[in-house]
Amino acid sequence: MSMLTPPGMGGKYRVTGAAYPRMSRKRSLRRIVLTALGAALALAVISYGALQLIDVFRGDSPKRNTAAGAGDCPTARPAAVKGGPAAAASTAAKPAVVLPQPGQITVNVYNATPRAGLAKAVGDELKKRGFVIGSVGNAPADFDKKVPGTGILLGSPATDKAAFAVLGTQLAGTTQQNDTREGADIDLILGDAFKELSTKEDADKALALLANPAPAPAKNC
């Protein structure tokens, strides 16, 4: 064994000439790749954090933008109301519409269809619902067999429009017309499309909505 051969290495790594045995282990390729990936990931995380901090200091974060956008909606300033807060509160509370009661409306029921007994049946039902029934019979010649819709409400030009509306809740699809009469009574002329009055429940709901109309929805800005 040569004197240049390290102890314990036998003759396998015998040194000859200028060649020396390699004592260090080769680096693993897998370790090198993992190290490179880890470094890239760390660099990406650091870069993302730096961008977030920049956005916060500049005021560009989504939360700040959202809050700022909420303040852009114009707010209408309430008009000054004489009388102080109590007067303002009473002005804000919109009173219900005052409607005539069925007992204050006189209805003449006329049948413009070929169906016999229709005017009497409708008049009896309206009387049960509180209306005052006047004349009942066949429609005048100007309307007999000439009303294609469900019915016509005929009254004086001076007749309260609210009375037309209240009677109209009992029968959907009616039209309103005026003639030269001077009284406050209203003619209900039943047409060919008439089948039956609205149910009492539906008529009551329509009356309630008429007295308390729903407020207009708030405008989104």
Side-chain angles (χ1 to χ4, degrees), residues 16 19 62 74 105 114 128 165 201 203:
T16 57
I105 303 173
K128 292 179 183 178
E201 181 181 2

Side-chain angles (χ1 to χ4, degrees), residues 6-53:
M9 296 185 64
K12 183 177 180 180
Y13 296 98
R14 180 173 300 175
V15 179
T16 57
Y20 295 90
R22 189 170 184 174
M23 302 303 296
S24 61
R25 276 196 272 175
K26 295 182 179 180
R27 288 190 175 182
S28 172
L29 179 60
R30 181 179 178 183
R31 179 180 298 176
I32 295 174
V33 172
L34 290 177
T35 301
L37 289 176
L41 181 60
L43 181 61
V45 171
I46 293 172
S47 300
Y48 179 77
L51 289 175
Q52 293 299 311
L53 288 175

Side-chain angles (χ1 to χ4, degrees), residues 23-114:
M23 302 303 296
S24 61
R25 276 196 272 175
K26 295 182 179 180
R27 288 190 175 182
S28 172
L29 179 60
R30 181 179 178 183
R31 179 180 298 176
I32 295 174
V33 172
L34 290 177
T35 301
L37 289 176
L41 181 60
L43 181 61
V45 171
I46 293 172
S47 300
Y48 179 77
L51 289 175
Q52 293 299 311
L53 288 175
I54 292 173
D55 288 343
V56 169
F57 284 111
R58 290 176 56 191
D60 296 335
S61 63
K63 291 183 179 179
R64 291 189 55 140
N65 288 338
T66 302
D72 295 338
C73 182
T75 303
R77 297 182 61 184
V81 179
K82 294 182 179 180
S90 61
T91 303
K94 193 174 183 179
V97 178
V98 179
L99 299 174
Q101 297 299 311
Q104 298 173 305
I105 303 173
T106 299
V107 184
N108 305 314
V109 185
Y110 296 115
N111 181 14
T113 77

Side-chain angles (χ1 to χ4, degrees), residues 108 154-160 178-187:
N108 305 314
L154 186 64
S156 165
T159 300
D160 186 1
N178 299 120
D179 58 10
T180 57
R181 76 182 70 191
E182 296 180 356
D185 59 323
I186 300 175
D187 292 350

Side-chain angles (χ1 to χ4, degrees), residues 87-203:
S90 61
T91 303
K94 193 174 183 179
V97 178
V98 179
L99 299 174
Q101 297 299 311
Q104 298 173 305
I105 303 173
T106 299
V107 184
N108 305 314
V109 185
Y110 296 115
N111 181 14
T113 77
R115 297 162 58 184
L118 185 60
K120 184 179 185 307
V122 171
D124 290 344
E125 180 60 30
L126 288 176
K127 186 175 182 179
K128 292 179 183 178
R129 299 185 184 187
F131 291 90
V132 178
I133 304 301
S135 301
V136 176
N138 293 326
D142 292 344
F143 296 97
D144 192 27
K145 313 296 189 300
K146 298 176 183 178
V147 181
T150 58
I152 295 175
L153 302 181
L154 186 64
S156 165
T159 300
D160 186 1
K161 300 301 181 184
F164 278 116
V166 170
L167 182 55
T169 61
Q170 310 300 310
L171 176 60
T174 57
T175 59
Q176 299 178 12
Q177 295 184 19
N178 299 120
D179 58 10
T180 57
R181 76 182 70 191
E182 296 180 356
D185 59 323
I186 300 175
D187 292 350
L188 171 57
I189 305 175
L190 304 173
D192 293 335
F194 175 81
K195 293 183 179 180
E196 61 183 3
L197 293 174
S198 301
T199 64
K200 180 70 164 55
E201 181 181 2
D202 289 342

